[in-house]
């Protein structure tokens, strides 16, 4: 699993003309899934995300987590995170898991992230054409791949 985590002062997801998710201070988490991903990847990533110290403390040092802040999270599926651009100019998405594998893992990720955070999170809609709006605070953007833990 690969995530792009963005610290935001606000973020929202729009599908069609309807806003389906909206948060203030918190994290926008984009998630990409491959066939080899499993529940161990989910547990490790969820713990990493909620404990990641990327929010400023009273000395303006990135020393607080989303748990410390009591902030919100939006999680959005994004298969393009596993794009291969090795050959040519058209990205290949062959590594990205197909919906029959990716949807249950995405849903389990959302469930586990809510449990680990201790409150509900908001989401986009798997496979939908979404418009994601955000104000990246910092800017702070972190990329984590559960297959590169060491």
């Amino acid at each position: 699993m690969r995530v792009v985590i963005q610290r935001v002062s606000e973020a929202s997801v729009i599908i069609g003309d309807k806003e389906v998710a909206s948060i203030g201070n918190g994290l926008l988490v984009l998630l990409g899934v491959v066939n080899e991903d499993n529940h161990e990847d989910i547990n490790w990533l969820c713990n990493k995300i909620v404990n990641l110290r990327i929010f400023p403390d009273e000395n303006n040092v990135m020393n607080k987590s989303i748990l410390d802040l009591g902030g919100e999270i939006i999680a959005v599926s994004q298969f393009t995170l596993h794009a291969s651009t090795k050959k040519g100019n058209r990205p290949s998405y062959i590594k990205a898991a197909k919906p029959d594998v990716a949807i249950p893992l995405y849903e389990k990720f959302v469930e586990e992230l809510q449990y680990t955070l201790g409150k509900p999170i908001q989401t986009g809609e798997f496979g939908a054409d979404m418009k994601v709006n955000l104000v990246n605070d910092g800017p702070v953007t972190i990329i984590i791949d559960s297959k590169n833990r060491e």
Side-chain angles (χ1 to χ4, degrees):
M1 291 186 155
R2 185 172 292 157
V3 292
V4 173
I5 301 165
Q6 295 180 297
R7 186 179 81 186
V8 299
S9 55
E10 61 184 70
S12 64
V13 177
I14 297 169
I15 300 173
D17 59 357
K18 182 180 178 197
E19 185 175 83
V20 297
S22 178
I23 63 169
N25 286 330
L27 300 174
L28 173 66
V29 178
L30 305 173
L31 173 73
V33 178
V34 295
N35 287 324
E36 299 77 28
D37 290 330
N38 58 44
H39 295 294
E40 185 179 316
D41 295 292
I42 292 169
N43 292 335
W44 183 83
L45 266 178
C46 289
N47 281 309
K48 182 63 85 172
I49 291 166
V50 301
N51 290 295
L52 201 59
R53 296 177 359 191
I54 59 173
F55 291 92
D57 64 13
E58 55 282 345
N59 297 315
N60 208 28
V61 175
M62 285 196 286
N63 208 20
K64 292 192 173 192
S65 70
I66 190 82
L67 286 172
D68 298 326
L69 183 71
E72 301 174 282
I73 295 177
I74 293 179
V76 175
S77 64
Q78 188 172 354
F79 75 95
T80 60
L81 291 181
H82 287 287
S84 173
T85 57
K86 230 175 190 181
K87 293 182 180 180
N89 293 318
R90 182 172 180 226
S92 168
Y93 304 107
I94 195 89
K95 290 183 182 179
K98 301 285 185 250
D100 62 321
V101 171
I103 292 172
L105 288 172
Y106 169 72
E107 290 172 348
K108 184 64 178 164
F109 173 83
V110 168
E111 181 182 306
E112 183 65 25
L113 192 55
Q114 290 181 136
Y115 176 78
T116 308
L117 184 62
K119 64 182 182 181
I121 67 167
Q122 296 187 48
T123 65
E125 181 183 316
F126 190 95
D129 181 18
M130 296 174 270
K131 305 299 182 226
V132 179
N133 300 305
L134 68 129
V135 176
N136 191 322
D137 183 20
V140 175
T141 301
I142 309 289
I143 301 169
I144 303 174
D145 193 314
S146 64
K147 303 302 188 221
N148 297 326
R149 297 183 199 184
E150 296 171 30

